[in-house]
Amino acid sequence: MFLPMELGRGADGAMTGVAYPEMLVGVCEKYFAGDIQGAEKRLRRLPADRALREPAGIGLAIRKEILRRRGITKTAALRNARPRLDADDHKELDNLMARLDEKAGRR
């Protein structure tokens, strides 16, 4: 949410739980190229879906499953007693990922 401001205070990147981290790369590229307004605009294009932004609960399970489906991680296993995805969650995740892929320009 605050990446350009964090970069302005000396951060050189972000440690994030975002399921589409490559979208943050665009923010950093624009910022380091001197296009601060472009970085802010790119940040506003990031997925704002409630499920992906939920800091606790099922949000972590959703983000990990997206990373698994995208081939970034081998497993979506959670280390402790957190909510797990059921069959309906997986169907809804299919739709969510299709929308996010479209938004990111990947059809």
Side-chain angles (χ1 to χ4, degrees):
M1 291 176 50
F2 304 103
L3 182 56
M5 288 184 275
E6 292 170 0
L7 295 171
R9 289 180 177 244
D12 59 5
M15 180 67 166
T16 180
V18 173
Y20 289 82
E22 69 275 14
M23 295 181 82
L24 293 178
V25 171
V27 175
C28 291
E29 287 173 343
K30 289 193 176 292
Y31 184 89
F32 291 124
D35 184 3
I36 310 305
Q37 293 299 319
E40 290 284 353
K41 184 177 179 181
R42 177 74 175 153
L43 183 66
R44 287 192 297 273
R45 291 181 52 213
L46 289 173
D49 193 281
R50 289 180 303 238
L52 295 178
R53 298 223 182 230
E54 183 184 350
I58 200 154
L60 178 60
I62 291 169
R63 289 189 300 273
K64 289 189 78 154
E65 176 61 17
I66 290 172
L67 292 169
R68 186 198 65 77
R69 288 182 183 198
R70 297 184 67 215
I72 296 169
T73 61
K74 291 183 181 182
T75 179
L78 300 169
R79 286 186 276 202
N80 55 19
R82 297 251 185 185
R84 305 283 193 241
L85 301 180
D86 63 21
D88 289 332
D89 293 325
H90 281 278
K91 288 178 192 173
E92 290 169 355
L93 188 54
D94 291 339
N95 293 328
L96 170 65
M97 289 182 71
R99 289 193 321 267
L100 293 174
D101 284 343
E102 182 177 335
K103 188 173 189 173
R106 293 183 305 267
R107 294 182 192 253

